[in-house]
Amino acid sequence: MNVKILLASSALALSLPLAAQAQGTIPGAERGAAAGSDAAGPIGGIVGGAIGAATGTVGGILGVDMAPRFRSYVRERNVRSYDYDGRVAVGTTLPGSGVTYYDVPSEYRVQPGYRYTVVNDRPVLVDRGHRIVEVID
């Protein structure tokens, strides 16, 4: 068993560059699991999926590859921007009323519970508590 773990860890270390390219939590988990599984079988898949998810989150919830598409999607819909006096940044909590929140289409593979809005002409993702979790610049 220790040999399998050692092999999986070694394979994972070799596949980390692949996992680092996987942006976004869900795509990162999928790509990490595939790379780990190819390199070290089932154990590698489990470890690679966890590492890929964590690494993918570094690129934001949407991921670097999806953010430009999503920004275009929001702009094409002419979503009305909410004028906010505070700082538009991750961690800022927006009001529950006066702001219109929209569901993120499934094609963007964002975890359930996140929605989007536009604040000071900047698209943002928010969690259930209306806290900004990603600013799409």
Side-chain angles (χ1 to χ4, degrees), residues 10-135:
S10 298
L12 181 60
L14 293 173
S15 67
L16 257 174
L18 295 174
Q21 293 174 6
Q23 299 296 318
T25 304
I26 294 172
E30 289 174 349
R31 292 178 191 154
S37 183
D38 289 347
I43 293 173
I46 292 166
V47 175
I51 296 295
T55 303
T57 302
V58 170
I61 292 169
L62 278 172
V64 177
D65 55 340
M66 293 283 226
R69 280 185 46 216
F70 185 72
R71 185 176 37 256
S72 294
Y73 168 84
V74 173
R75 293 215 167 113
E76 287 169 4
R77 272 138 194 83
N78 293 319
V79 172
R80 186 175 155 271
S81 181
Y82 175 74
D83 292 325
Y84 185 66
D85 289 333
R87 196 170 136 227
V88 179
V90 172
T92 299
T93 300
L94 300 173
S97 62
V99 182
T100 304
Y101 298 98
Y102 305 90
D103 292 330
V104 178
S106 61
E107 69 187 80
Y108 293 100
R109 303 173 75 185
V110 172
Q111 294 176 351
Y114 292 115
R115 295 182 296 163
Y116 76 90
T117 191
V118 177
V119 181
N120 297 349
D121 297 318
R122 299 171 74 189
V124 298
L125 290 179
V126 298
D127 63 14
R128 286 186 173 112
H130 308 128
R131 184 177 62 91
I132 297 174
V133 294
E134 185 169 353
V135 178

